[in-house]
Amino acid sequence: MTAPPEGPTGRRPIAVPLAALVTVTGLAVTTVLGGFATAPEKPPKRLGQGSTVDQEQFTTTFVGSRTVSEPGLFGGPAKRLLEIELLVVNKGEETAGTGVPYQEGHGGGSFGTSLLKVSPEIKGKYGASVFTPTGGGESSQLHPALPTSVVVRYELEDGQRPPRQLTIDVGTYEWREGITLAPGWFLVTKDGEGDEGGEKPVVTAQVTLPVMPRGTRS
């Protein structure tokens, strides 16, 4: 390799490898920008009625939302219900439960946990129930590979007006095999952004549904 020519001072300039120049340049740019920047978080998909969301453990189609009036028991006042209808396929190898919508500190184990938030908040009398209709009854089971109708139901309070539309924040699952936890499906979360610095579920999609009036159920 031929030595570089001498400079004006009679000293040969120090040869700096190209890789080192690239590294130094990158560090300089990082310093100017204020440290090592992280890639921006990918925003959730914004979807509408009829959309399908892949939640890894489940595939869920958001069929629609409606209000329903249901006759009261023994001649009592009618119940006013708001329902969200879904079509769910359990992609796991074991039967899963329908569960209830997400509650802080509960990270998995059922389909309902992936329904992270409904906006505006529906303040029903007893919270939301999540079930599969079965010939006049209700079930809480989602069998593998079987497309199953799922209903999320709120009983509205007296005088409460249902919203014209609602938006559902939807989470997704991942399979984990840890040392302290039994292998299973858990919500995808991000650290340090939940209540008191705990984990917070990642919103995969936000699905907006119009709330349609559907009359009276006998």
Side-chain angles (χ1 to χ4, degrees):
M1 179 176 178
T2 305
E6 295 184 358
T9 60
R11 297 180 181 178
R12 291 187 176 90
I14 300 174
V16 180
L18 178 59
L21 288 173
V22 172
T23 302
V24 172
T25 303
L27 288 173
V29 172
T30 301
T31 302
V32 170
L33 293 177
F36 286 95
T38 58
E41 183 180 335
K42 186 177 181 180
K45 298 177 182 177
R46 296 185 181 275
L47 305 173
Q49 184 171 346
S51 299
T52 299
V53 178
D54 184 356
Q55 300 176 271
E56 296 299 331
Q57 185 183 3
F58 306 99
T59 298
T60 304
T61 300
F62 290 78
V63 178
S65 180
R66 58 182 175 257
T67 57
V68 179
S69 179
E70 188 175 81
L73 297 175
F74 309 111
K79 295 180 180 179
R80 298 169 57 245
L81 308 174
L82 186 149
E83 298 180 337
I84 301 169
E85 183 179 356
L86 314 168
L87 184 64
V88 179
V89 178
N90 175 8
K91 298 195 294 180
E93 297 180 354
E94 299 181 357
T95 296
T98 54
V100 295
Y102 174 77
Q103 298 175 358
E104 185 75 26
H106 297 272
S110 69
F111 165 75
T113 307
S114 67
L115 305 177
L116 305 177
K117 181 181 178 181
V118 175
S119 303
E121 181 182 4
I122 310 300
K123 296 181 179 180
K125 290 183 177 180
Y126 310 107
S129 59
V130 185
F131 62 91
T132 66
T134 56
E138 298 176 3
S139 172
S140 61
Q141 296 185 328
L142 295 170
H143 299 292
L146 181 65
T148 305
S149 177
V150 172
V151 174
V152 182
R153 175 182 290 173
Y154 298 85
E155 182 175 345
L156 300 176
E157 298 177 351
D158 294 340
Q160 181 180 1
R161 291 187 176 183
R164 294 184 178 181
Q165 68 177 27
L166 50 81
T167 298
I168 307 164
D169 287 5
V170 184
T172 190
Y173 287 96
E174 62 183 356
W175 182 264
R176 297 183 191 170
E177 295 188 17
I179 298 176
T180 58
L181 296 174
W185 291 100
F186 294 86
L187 280 176
V188 175
T189 59
K190 49 188 174 183
D191 294 335
E193 297 192 23
D195 291 349
E196 300 181 353
E199 294 185 338
K200 181 178 180 180
V202 173
V203 179
T204 300
Q206 293 181 313
V207 184
T208 299
L209 303 174
V211 179
M212 307 298 293
R214 290 291 179 91
T216 302
R217 179 184 289 115
S218 60

